[in-house]
Amino acid sequence: MTVSVTGATGFIGRKLVQRLRTDNHSIRVLTRSKSKAEQIFPAKDFPGIVIAEESEWKNCVQGSTAVVNLAGLPISTRWSPEVKKEIKDSRIRVTSKVVDLINNSPADARPTVLVSATAVGYYGTSETGVFDENSPSGKDYLAEVCREWEGTALKANKDVRVALIRIGVVLGKDGGALAMMIPFFQMFAGGPLGSGQQWFSWIHVDDLVNLIYEALTNPSYKGVINGTAPNPVRLGEMCQQLGSVLSRPSWLPVPDFALKALLGEGATVVLEGQKVLPVRAKELGFEFKYKYVKDALRAIMQ
Ligand code: NDP
């Protein structure tokens, strides 16, 4: 396969590129910054990789077998009005561009698959609800972002198979939520954020990369697929397990007001969660390597 990837330079994208390379697929990195991407994917380690800035994306998308769309401004920063706007606009802008390039490709050079990221934020937040792919969307800001993000991807030509992966909190050593939490625990200052009762629908990064890979190669993967492990936990339990794996106590709760002071409205991402189950992935026969958070954390910290 020849696969064009937006957001390839990010936490998930880097792992996906490594996986595609291991299986000898051709990779086209669609980035905003060639110099940054060339540092992440040096030619000596990634022979044949194509790195393209926006003006060159058209030539990459045309002739690709598939496109994976992972780009977007990280949400784990303080949400000023400008940041909030860019969280949404960055996702819609890149998705829209990619979809236009796919749709405007000559039929014989058009990618046949689009795997596009979205997030479990689609469902809104709840301490009591349980969500699967058929659950309705929430009413908050992130739910609105996800709805528009998904709607934009679904504008791809009807001949293109679109898989929308509603991603949960991705666990891995080199980025995402865990990379932010581990230093606190290592300084003996780790503990539950907020009440600890909020749901934490997680997935190990290797499982997510395998799910995206399956979506690229298996024609049954179509429409919305939750990218979450089968056993979500409450955040309090996640922190306890992390403390145990790191042999550090998990005793210092971080109160709501401190998180709100740090992250503003963005604190809702960690203070409120949702319990999301991977019903479609199970129906499709996807095998999770990491079903329990303790095993995922152990593997990551090894
Ligand atoms: P990262 O933040 O690590 O990487 C995202 C990439 O998007 C960057 O490498 C960058 O690529 C591009 N990007 C960043 N800011 C902008 C911007 N303002 N405009 C356009 N492009 C931008 O993300 P992850 O790898 O963690 O996540 C990938 C996708 O999955 C994201 O869309 C994210 O929302 C979604 N997701 C991730 C979760 C997680 O826990 N990690 C959970 C749920 C959803 P470049 O500089 O090369 O252009």
Side-chain angles (χ1 to χ4, degrees):
M1 277 189 301
T2 298
V3 187
S4 286
V5 187
T6 75
T9 58
F11 167 45
I12 300 165
R14 287 193 304 261
K15 294 272 186 192
L16 176 69
V17 167
Q18 277 163 12
R19 171 72 199 280
L20 290 167
R21 174 165 151 56
T22 304
D23 286 6
N24 290 319
H25 296 293
S26 300
I27 303 149
R28 298 172 176 180
V29 170
L30 309 186
T31 180
R32 293 165 305 159
S33 163
K34 213 172 207 170
S35 55
K36 174 178 116 177
E38 281 168 352
Q39 279 181 8
I40 295 173
F41 306 114
K44 66 175 173 44
D45 299 329
F46 295 86
I49 198 167
V50 174
I51 294 178
E53 277 182 355
E54 279 197 59
S55 59
E56 305 159 318
W57 287 13
K58 181 178 170 190
N59 292 337
C60 287
V61 169
Q62 282 190 11
S64 285
T65 323
V67 177
V68 180
N69 178 38
L70 298 170
L73 183 75
I75 63 165
S76 54
T77 44
R78 190 180 167 78
W79 287 6
S80 63
E82 296 75 30
V83 166
K84 249 177 109 171
K85 186 171 180 317
E86 184 60 8
I87 284 174
K88 186 172 175 185
D89 289 357
S90 59
R91 286 168 174 77
I92 308 303
R93 203 170 51 234
V94 176
T95 307
S96 191
K97 173 150 185 155
V98 159
V99 165
D100 282 349
L101 292 175
I102 292 174
N103 291 351
N104 292 324
S105 295
D108 60 351
R110 185 178 295 142
T112 53
V113 187
L114 169 62
V115 180
S116 202
T118 163
V120 294
Y122 174 91
Y123 301 111
T125 62
S126 170
E127 275 191 17
T128 51
V130 182
F131 303 101
D132 66 27
E133 288 85 350
N134 290 318
S135 303
S137 178
K139 294 187 170 44
D140 59 16
Y141 164 72
L142 283 180
E144 179 193 314
V145 172
C146 292
R147 273 197 309 275
E148 274 197 46
W149 196 7
E150 294 183 10
T152 308
L154 288 170
K155 288 183 182 152
N157 185 291
K158 62 173 175 37
D159 297 333
V160 178
R161 177 168 61 82
V162 180
L164 298 168
I165 313 291
R166 279 194 194 135
I167 304 172
V169 184
V170 184
L171 301 183
K173 206 171 192 172
D174 316 317
L178 210 48
M180 285 187 253
M181 291 168 82
I182 289 171
F184 285 100
F185 276 80
Q186 283 172 334
M187 289 185 300
F188 291 88
L193 308 174
S195 71
Q197 285 303 301
Q198 63 276 47
W199 283 100
F200 188 81
S201 292
W202 59 278
I203 184 168
H204 189 292
V205 67
D206 290 353
D207 275 333
L208 177 64
V209 165
N210 285 340
L211 189 69
I212 294 172
Y213 193 90
E214 275 297 308
L216 282 170
T217 51
N218 184 335
S220 304
Y221 283 61
K222 195 173 177 192
V224 176
I225 301 162
N226 286 336
T228 57
N231 297 292
V233 290
R234 293 195 189 263
L235 188 64
E237 185 188 339
M238 154 74 193
C239 291
Q240 224 169 23
Q241 299 287 1
L242 181 59
S244 147
V245 168
L246 292 171
S247 302
R248 292 286 195 277
S250 169
W251 56 269
L252 193 68
V254 184
D256 291 21
F257 71 84
L259 281 164
K260 282 183 183 149
L262 196 67
L263 296 172
E265 201 189 338
T268 52
V269 175
V270 278
L271 290 174
E272 299 169 33
Q274 55 284 104
K275 182 178 186 181
V276 178
L277 299 179
V279 170
R280 281 284 290 137
K282 279 185 164 175
E283 282 169 3
L284 288 159
F286 181 79
E287 280 289 331
F288 286 89
K289 191 167 172 201
Y290 301 99
K291 296 191 175 89
Y292 297 98
V293 76
K294 192 172 195 169
D295 298 335
L297 292 173
R298 278 216 183 104
I300 290 164
M301 298 318 300
Q302 250 173 18

